[in-house]
Amino acid sequence: MSPIASGSPAARFPLAARLLAWWQSPRLWMLAASLITRGAGFVSSFVIARLSGAAALGVYAATVNTASSVVSPFTQVMTNNATLMASERGPGAGWRAASLANLIFSTAAAGLSVIVFASVYGGTLKGHDDLHLDTVWLLLAGACVILGQMVVAITTGLLNGIGSFLPAARITAGVAGLMLLAAYPVVATWRLPGAVGLLVFTSLTPAVLLLGLVAWRMREGGAGSAAPAGGAWPELFRRTVAGLPSVGATLVGATVAWTCTIYLVQRQHGPAGVGVVAVGLQWLTLMLMPATSWGGVALKGLLDARAQGPQQLRGARWRLIRRNIGITLAVGLAIAAASPLLSSAYGLGGSGLATLLCLNVGCAVVAGANNIHERLMLCLDRQWLWFAFSLVAFGVQLAFTWVFIGRGLAAVPLGTLSAGCTLWALSAAYVRAALPATEPNP
């Protein structure tokens, strides 16, 4: 017998019932939010390049990427902390205590990030009279990006921890959709200042809405058994210390990436070079989207295989690596084949963008394989070792780019590829030693 009664509305209107189920699906909204956000970034870069040129795109990309590189080392770890604390404490007083502690901590972290951005990185953001934009506005926009990303990360984690997945995804998707629709008319009317103003709006709006939602939930409370309200700060401190290896690796990686893709490029090739590299990085992110979106699934598969023994863990590792390489290579080759058309569409013909897109295929394939090794090292509780391997790889990338950037923009993806190959070689050697091909004799 069908679980749906024959006289029910779902049975009489199956299409409407299916659409309603999709509308209420957290997975669908989270995927939509990710895709629309990526799409908004692509459209904004495309419109700026077409209407204002590569130099304007370089200034815009330097602002966004510099701000993101400052805050990104903290957002993922703090989101995980907020999700775990909210999930374990449940709704009610325990959740309110966890929310308050995480929000205060994130505010302090955001303030520190803004200071770092303004004092260390801000000196490289140059205003341009011909673009009608002063450095002060660039610094303000970067501060808004930092604050917005931090608040969205924490509030999303707190809501996800109590099973409230839809609000954050819907708000993020809605604001990104507005940016998608407004990019062309705003940039066409106000050029680069309009793009920066739109960036400020789309950075702060979801943060304000989600902060208001969390404040409302804190005031209203929730149903269900509540854990004690005390102990939030010691727990938050403990989880933060435990996540320091991940923060350190991301921080070093973000600093090296900023140095190689913004500082060195701007010094040798000017803002136009930064714009071309930024477009290449966007398409590199697209190549990696399938592999990175499967990160949670891959981690769960490795954890399950570890419980069954080393043989199963080795098999799971290779299956996941082959899957990541296969889908990443397919997407990358499609983009590489279209690289001449993409370069022309952006108005960047002769800039070397097509070459960057082709070289990024190799970077993406290696990064997809390393994505599995990173999670495997987490399963083996070797986060500090992964951090050490990452430091060596980042050193190789920085040295390579520093030496060869004067010869052309191709040094950027080649430096990334050299780092990825170094990281793979080091981690693969350790994995072979930790998981030998044959079981030891009893």
Side-chain angles (χ1 to χ4, degrees):
M1 180 181 294
S2 171
I4 300 176
S6 59
S8 67
R12 286 181 292 164
F13 306 102
L15 179 59
R18 185 173 299 176
L19 290 175
L20 180 61
W22 286 347
W23 179 260
Q24 296 175 341
S25 170
R27 291 179 181 272
L28 177 65
W29 276 103
M30 292 170 75
L31 176 61
S34 177
L35 292 176
I36 296 174
T37 301
R38 295 292 184 191
F42 271 87
V43 170
S44 299
S45 297
F46 180 81
V47 171
I48 294 171
R50 289 290 298 181
L51 298 181
S52 298
L57 176 59
V59 172
Y60 179 87
T63 303
V64 176
N65 294 342
T66 301
S68 295
S69 69
V70 173
V71 73
S72 61
F74 308 102
T75 52
Q76 186 58 57
V77 171
M78 295 178 71
T79 300
N80 293 341
N81 290 348
T83 301
L84 290 171
M85 291 180 66
S87 177
E88 293 172 357
R89 289 168 170 262
W95 184 79
R96 289 195 294 271
S99 299
L100 186 60
N102 277 278
L103 288 172
I104 293 174
F105 186 73
S106 65
T107 300
L112 179 62
S113 298
V114 170
I115 293 174
V116 172
F117 170 77
S119 60
V120 179
Y121 291 163
T124 66
L125 298 177
K126 306 298 183 182
H128 294 266
D129 294 336
D130 55 331
L131 299 177
H132 309 290
L133 194 64
D134 190 79
T135 306
V136 173
W137 295 108
L138 297 175
L139 293 174
L140 177 62
C144 291
V145 170
I146 291 172
L147 183 61
Q149 289 189 13
M150 186 71 77
V151 171
V152 168
I154 294 300
T155 52
T156 299
L158 292 171
L159 292 170
N160 288 350
I162 56 173
S164 184
F165 300 100
L166 286 176
R170 286 175 173 171
I171 288 173
T172 302
V175 174
L178 288 177
M179 184 176 185
L180 195 66
L181 296 174
Y184 183 83
V186 168
V187 176
T189 303
W190 293 289
R191 301 295 175 176
L192 184 58
V196 172
L198 186 60
L199 174 65
V200 171
F201 173 80
T202 54
S203 296
L204 295 183
T205 300
V208 171
L209 293 176
L210 287 171
L211 192 60
L213 179 59
V214 168
W216 179 78
R217 292 295 297 264
M218 290 173 64
R219 180 181 177 183
E220 295 295 322
S225 59
W233 280 105
E235 182 182 354
L236 178 58
F237 178 77
R238 177 179 59 80
R239 293 189 182 279
T240 301
V241 171
L244 285 179
S246 178
V247 173
T250 309
L251 179 62
V252 174
T255 302
V256 171
W258 175 85
T259 303
C260 294
T261 62
I262 295 178
Y263 174 74
L264 293 176
V265 174
Q266 182 167 270
R267 191 177 68 170
Q268 293 288 336
H269 304 280
V274 175
V276 174
V277 170
V279 173
L281 291 175
Q282 281 188 323
W283 287 96
L284 174 60
T285 302
L286 180 62
M287 296 177 197
L288 282 168
M289 184 174 289
T292 54
S293 66
W294 293 336
V297 177
L299 179 58
K300 181 63 167 62
L302 290 170
L303 289 170
D304 292 342
R306 184 188 64 176
Q308 299 173 19
Q311 292 281 3
Q312 287 74 14
L313 187 54
R314 283 195 301 274
R317 169 202 176 218
W318 277 115
R319 285 194 302 273
L320 292 169
I321 287 175
R322 286 196 298 267
R323 186 183 67 172
N324 272 13
I325 289 178
I327 187 63
T328 302
L329 184 61
V331 176
L333 290 177
I335 293 174
S339 58
L341 295 177
L342 291 173
S343 182
S344 176
Y346 274 92
L348 299 175
S351 64
L353 177 60
T355 301
L356 296 189
L357 294 175
C358 293
L359 292 174
N360 278 340
V361 177
C363 300
V365 169
V366 175
N370 283 331
N371 182 274
I372 301 302
H373 270 185
E374 180 179 9
R375 280 150 183 80
L376 180 59
M377 298 290 275
L378 177 61
C379 291
L380 298 174
D381 195 24
R382 293 294 183 269
Q383 295 97 313
W384 282 106
L385 190 59
W386 179 261
F387 178 43
F389 291 163
S390 299
L391 287 180
V392 176
F394 293 144
V396 171
Q397 178 183 1
L398 182 60
F400 186 98
T401 309
W402 198 293
V403 171
F404 294 105
I405 187 62
R407 301 187 180 184
L409 295 177
V412 175
L414 289 175
T416 303
L417 182 60
S418 66
C421 292
T422 301
L423 187 57
W424 167 264
L426 293 173
S427 57
Y430 173 79
V431 170
R432 282 196 298 270
L435 299 174
T438 57
E439 298 288 354
N441 294 325

